Amino acid sequence: MEVLENIIEFVIEVVVPILELMGIFIVAEAALVSFGRYLYCLVTRNRVHVKGRLAVGLLLGLEFMMTAEILKTIVIRDTKELLILGGVVVLRGILAFELKQEEKEEREEDKEEREAEAHH
């Protein structure tokens, strides 16, 4: 049984940082692309939806990071670590919920604009 625990701990020590890096990369890419879209909007005076697309990237990145946090629960040894990890997961969950709401509102605004343009 101890051998299995050592294997699990080793795998988690390798996988968790990779998942966190993937999440960081996704968030950074979403931020850079959204900033590029924002600059394009400023220069061309065209309306480009930035917030919704940024929210999608942030959500995906958060999913990877939350997956890493959940995997960390497997190797937690004391209550203090579990409470800290639980707090992180709850905060990230709240942020994910808020981002999903933002994405939903952005999609509804897009739909309303398309309908308004279709009537003209």
Side-chain angles (χ1 to χ4, degrees), residues 7-24 61 63-76 85 88 92:
I7 291 171
I8 290 171
E9 283 183 24
F10 174 76
V11 169
I12 288 176
E13 287 177 11
V14 172
V15 172
V16 166
I18 291 170
L19 287 170
E20 289 174 338
L21 283 172
M22 292 164 83
I24 290 168
E63 294 296 329
F64 278 90
M65 291 179 205
M66 285 180 67
T67 302
E69 298 295 336
I70 291 167
L71 286 175
K72 286 179 189 177
T73 63
I74 295 170
V75 295
I76 286 184
L85 187 58
V88 169
R92 287 186 177 170

Side-chain angles (χ1 to χ4, degrees), residues 73 76-88:
T73 63
I76 286 184
R77 300 277 187 246
D78 66 19
T79 309
K80 183 179 177 184
E81 288 180 25
L82 185 60
L83 290 173
I84 292 170
L85 187 58
V88 169

Side-chain angles (χ1 to χ4, degrees), residues 54-110:
L54 178 59
V56 169
L58 290 173
L59 277 171
L60 182 59
L62 273 174
E63 294 296 329
F64 278 90
M65 291 179 205
M66 285 180 67
T67 302
E69 298 295 336
I70 291 167
L71 286 175
K72 286 179 189 177
T73 63
I74 295 170
V75 295
I76 286 184
R77 300 277 187 246
D78 66 19
T79 309
K80 183 179 177 184
E81 288 180 25
L82 185 60
L83 290 173
I84 292 170
L85 187 58
V88 169
V89 169
V90 167
L91 289 174
R92 287 186 177 170
I94 292 169
L95 182 57
F97 176 77
E98 291 295 325
L99 289 171
K100 285 180 185 176
Q101 292 298 110
E102 182 73 35
E103 178 190 12
K104 182 180 175 183
E105 290 172 12
E106 189 85 17
R107 274 187 277 139
E108 288 173 1
E109 287 176 13
D110 283 346

Side-chain angles (χ1 to χ4, degrees), residues 26-59:
I26 292 167
V27 169
E29 184 271 340
L32 291 171
V33 168
S34 295
F35 185 68
R37 289 177 186 268
Y38 174 75
L39 291 176
Y40 172 80
C41 179
L42 286 177
V43 171
T44 63
R45 303 270 189 225
N46 290 337
R47 183 153 191 255
V48 177
H49 295 285
V50 176
K51 287 184 351 182
R53 290 181 177 92
L54 178 59
V56 169
L58 290 173
L59 277 171

